[in-house]
Amino acid sequence: MDTLYYKIFRNKFLFTIIYGYVKDGKGKQLKDINVTEILENRFLFNLFYQSYLFNRKNENESNYRFQFRDINILESFFLSNIITIQEFIFIYNDYEKILKGKKNKILKLCILNNKMGKEMIEFLIKYKNYKFDINHFQLYIGKMCKRKEDNLNFILYIVDCFKNHSFNYNCTNRVISNKEKEKQLSNPFTLKFQPLMDCLDYNKVSCYQTIMDLSMDSIVNANSGLDIQYKCKFGDIKTVKNQLIVRMLVLGSMEMAKIYVNKFPNQKSNGENNLFFRDFRDFGKSLQVYEVLLSNKTLSLSHFKFIDYSFLISSPVSIFKNYLENHLGFNLEANTHHNLIAHGIYEVYDLETLKYLEQVKDRFSPPLTFNVSSLLLRASNRRDFKLFKYLVESPFFKVSRDSNISFSNTSLDIIRYCFKTFTRYSFNDIGFECAFDGDLEYVKFIVDKFHSTTTTTTTTATTTSNHNRIQLSYRCIDRVCERNYTNILIYLFDNVPELQISREPINYAIKNQNFEMVQLLIDKIPTKPNDHPTLYESTVTELKNYSKKDNRILSLLLDNQIYNKILFERYGELFI
């Protein structure tokens, strides 16, 4: 009967028959029910619950309690979104002895119940003497901030529980003195401040107002009116208010900043020199928040992260212009570690930023300088054609058209421009990583230029063109295979057959599970000096794993005399 029930349980019609059979007393009680599936279907659970009530009324305790006898079944029951509060209370009371030692676990499950959580928690706190701890609060805050819909009434209810001392103060990860515990009891929200700060990391705007209000209500001692002292794991930053300031700056949250300055207009931070900043999410946004706090007189212009002028090379002018002109000023000597003085502007965010710095260069003390070669290189690597072209053509930067430059890891637009503009421009694949961006037109352009000026030589690893304008080698094929560009590999084989081949391409092709590319490479013996046919251990391990589903590449290797020998001599145990 147990086996039969397990097999047909998903069938509603048969289940109804079985349920009637049990209810009428014509058979024994059924066991080993898959309750997790029942708890996802209200119809099935109704039958299950009615059966439970019937047997509870007509059978002795040992015969009906099996339906929820397992703690895992009970936990699944508390998580279910289809149960009612009456069902929860009824089942909880029946199994209170089992659950008595699992109060923390039950609270967490109720918090995670998206539908009945609040009602379940109200019952447990009001009638069963349950208490929250810091972990419950943090769990719910995190859950709320990750969800698309925020149950702010629920968070306010939880906060009321804390304020009404429905909170376990002994559950904390740090040892506190009796005196400190008394302070926390008089102002119970202080223990919850760090989880509030953590929940702001989720950066969910719809939560800011409520959470910030809760935060700000807890940062001033109600009795003295002074900021509450706070010591974080990174060092003493004096007050809880400072911790809130640090968090809004690190997050770059303008929403938090606006709420804060409305709550504390023109109030200076106490002990701001102790502020500790770590890893800004977006420095440009953080700079804007810093500017708001400066205007509110919350902070003074004294924090190194914001006064060393590094934003000139990392942020767009729209972000820093107002801050530079109205707050920080142009005195490089007073506020920098001399990086910009010694090396000049070596990178900019975009063309608009470069033009602005060019206009205000003489307002700086000393005047701002520019590292043109570095600017060109970085513009090339970022494929910023407008910036690159401006640097070359602007009379201010004086870039010589006879410069001996070589940019390869860049866009086709910049490559074409360099060939046209610089008489000594050279394309060298020695550091080639972009593999032509997978663009066949890109590789056609390079190969066409290669053939139009080339006298080839294959005595070394590199095939060199006249005047060293184009240098192609085995590295091109390596990168193309690594990036999995089969069409480009075919084009190179057809149009530059003299290119040498290393032992890397076939390993890349196997790892990429590219059957067509392996077919192209399997008979290509490495021609790069000192290279021999090789299969790396990492390659063979991946090959073994995916060959269980698709063994075409493995069969191809086994049919090849060279790679068959490598597989069985070096890795035979893997294929036994």
Side-chain angles (χ1 to χ4, degrees), residues 124-185:
L124 295 173
I125 288 178
K126 186 174 182 179
Y127 297 105
K128 301 300 178 181
N129 198 33
Y130 273 58
K131 291 182 181 294
F132 284 103
D133 63 34
I134 193 71
N135 296 316
H136 296 131
F137 184 71
Q138 192 165 6
L139 173 69
Y140 181 72
I141 289 288
K143 170 178 168 286
M144 185 195 72
C145 292
K146 287 180 179 179
R147 289 175 58 196
K148 293 181 179 179
E149 297 181 0
D150 306 328
N151 189 345
L152 297 182
N153 289 329
F154 196 176
I155 184 175
L156 292 174
Y157 168 74
I158 294 177
V159 171
D160 286 338
C161 291
F162 291 148
K163 291 183 176 179
N164 293 328
H165 297 255
S166 297
F167 179 79
N168 183 6
Y169 289 93
N170 294 320
C171 183
T172 177
N173 294 326
R174 60 193 181 106
V175 178
I176 58 176
S177 65
N178 290 332
K179 186 176 181 180
E180 185 178 358
K181 189 179 294 185
E182 289 176 4
K183 287 183 179 180
Q184 293 170 352
L185 288 170

Side-chain angles (χ1 to χ4, degrees), residues 450-471:
F450 177 78
H451 285 312
S452 65
T453 59
T454 297
T455 301
T456 60
T457 173
T458 57
T459 57
T460 65
T462 301
T463 301
T464 307
S465 66
N466 287 337
H467 312 298
N468 294 323
R469 291 208 71 186
I470 299 180
Q471 296 180 31

Side-chain angles (χ1 to χ4, degrees), residues 78-120:
F78 295 148
L79 278 172
S80 174
N81 289 321
I82 67 170
I83 66 172
T84 66
I85 186 62
Q86 292 78 14
E87 290 165 347
F88 167 77
I89 293 173
F90 192 83
I91 297 298
Y92 180 88
N93 286 332
D94 270 1
Y95 295 91
E96 186 169 5
K97 290 182 180 179
I98 297 177
L99 301 171
K100 193 172 183 180
K102 297 183 176 293
K103 288 187 174 183
N104 282 340
K105 181 68 174 290
I106 300 306
L107 265 180
K108 289 179 181 178
L109 294 173
C110 292
I111 288 173
L112 293 173
N113 188 303
N114 294 327
K115 185 176 180 181
M116 297 300 302
K118 183 175 183 293
E119 290 81 358
M120 293 160 70

